[in-house]
Amino acid sequence: MADNVIFHTRDRGSVLNKCSPLTKLALMLTACICLTAGSASFTLGLSGLMLVYAAVQRFPVKTFMSQGLVFIILAAFIFITELIAAGSPFLAAVAALRFLFTVLAALLFVDSTSIDDLAMSLGALFYPVLRKYAYLMASAVQLTLSMIPLIFDTAMTIKDARTARGESFLRHPVKSTGDYAVQLISTLLDNVNDMADALSARSYNPYAKRRRLTFSRYDILIAAAAFLTAGACAWTKLS
């Protein structure tokens, strides 16, 4: 299931899989900021590089096209509104690309980063300042981010079950969508309650100290990529 649902981590033994979550987080944030603030030419260039990396990682594009339909609809909405406001198809396309590739940056980050590893790294990073509350923050991040794949898993399970029963959204789109939304919310609430019971049964302690993840030599490459991305963005913006 993890290879067929977006917002799941896949351990493919890539360079990113071997790097610290903190350097990958820095690279993702840098990419997102530069996509938003960079020039149109920089946005196109960075988008091309991200596409190349996604192809190398064998990112499941077909899965994204089917399960990430909401992002594609939002990108189309951004294109239309920007086209009406600016009157330029090129600028409208760039605005839509900025949104789509910001989402892709997040997907590539999750694709190569375990939520547990990210929580451990954040707890260790903020421990010198926040002390035990750093691990509470890490626990909150871990539980929050774990809900994202849970939502997509539940949505796909319900969709497959309704399709197997011969239901078609096209026959009664309004009624089917309403029933689907109600069932999704109800199932998610049940799953959250089950998760809470499981954590309580295991005496889960959000203040528990977490082990520190070490950096590897590959983190130097990721840090350099983040630095070069920020530098190229600033250069194209100022030139």
Side-chain angles (χ1 to χ4, degrees):
M1 177 67 74
D3 285 338
N4 298 320
V5 181
I6 59 176
F7 290 109
H8 273 275
T9 303
R10 300 179 303 159
D11 188 1
R12 305 184 64 85
S14 65
V15 172
L16 280 184
N17 284 122
K18 300 175 183 177
C19 292
S20 168
L22 295 179
T23 52
K24 287 184 284 187
L25 181 63
L27 178 60
M28 183 199 70
L29 293 177
T30 301
C32 291
I33 293 172
C34 291
L35 282 170
T36 304
S39 62
S41 59
F42 176 83
T43 298
L44 294 176
L46 183 57
S47 299
L49 290 176
M50 291 176 63
L51 279 178
V52 171
Y53 180 78
V56 172
Q57 279 291 93
R58 297 181 180 179
F59 184 77
V61 178
K62 291 183 179 179
T63 301
F64 174 74
M65 295 293 288
S66 61
Q67 300 176 15
L69 184 61
V70 61
F71 300 118
I72 298 175
I73 294 175
L74 288 174
F77 180 76
I78 292 172
F79 175 83
I80 294 172
T81 54
E82 189 68 22
L83 182 61
I84 295 174
S88 171
F90 175 74
L91 293 179
V94 170
L97 282 176
R98 281 174 173 156
F99 171 76
L100 278 178
F101 281 90
T102 298
V103 174
L104 180 60
L107 288 173
L108 290 175
F109 173 76
V110 175
D111 186 64
S112 62
T113 308
S114 168
I115 295 175
D116 296 336
D117 291 345
L118 176 62
M120 284 189 284
S121 298
L122 289 175
L125 175 66
F126 290 104
Y127 180 76
V129 178
L130 301 178
R131 309 307 292 176
K132 67 175 184 177
Y133 295 103
Y135 299 119
L136 176 63
M137 180 197 70
S139 298
V141 170
Q142 183 179 22
L143 293 175
T144 302
L145 293 181
S146 65
M147 291 299 299
I148 298 176
L150 176 63
I151 293 172
F152 277 88
D153 286 348
T154 305
M156 289 303 301
T157 300
I158 295 175
K159 176 179 175 294
D160 292 342
R162 296 172 77 93
T163 302
R165 290 194 293 268
E167 180 176 340
S168 174
F169 280 87
L170 297 178
R171 283 186 211 150
H172 307 284
V174 176
K175 182 179 182 301
S176 297
T177 302
D179 292 343
Y180 178 82
V182 171
Q183 186 178 2
L184 175 61
I185 295 173
S186 176
T187 306
L188 283 174
L189 291 176
D190 290 340
N191 290 340
V192 170
N193 286 330
D194 292 341
M195 182 183 294
D197 291 340
L199 292 175
S200 177
R202 291 171 174 80
S203 301
Y204 178 74
N205 180 15
Y207 294 96
K209 189 173 183 178
R210 301 165 183 264
R211 65 183 179 89
R212 180 189 298 269
L213 296 178
T214 59
F215 292 92
S216 69
R217 64 181 184 276
Y218 297 107
D219 288 292
I220 299 176
L221 298 176
I222 301 302
F227 179 79
L228 290 174
T229 300
C233 177
W235 183 78
T236 56
K237 191 72 175 178
L238 296 175
S239 61

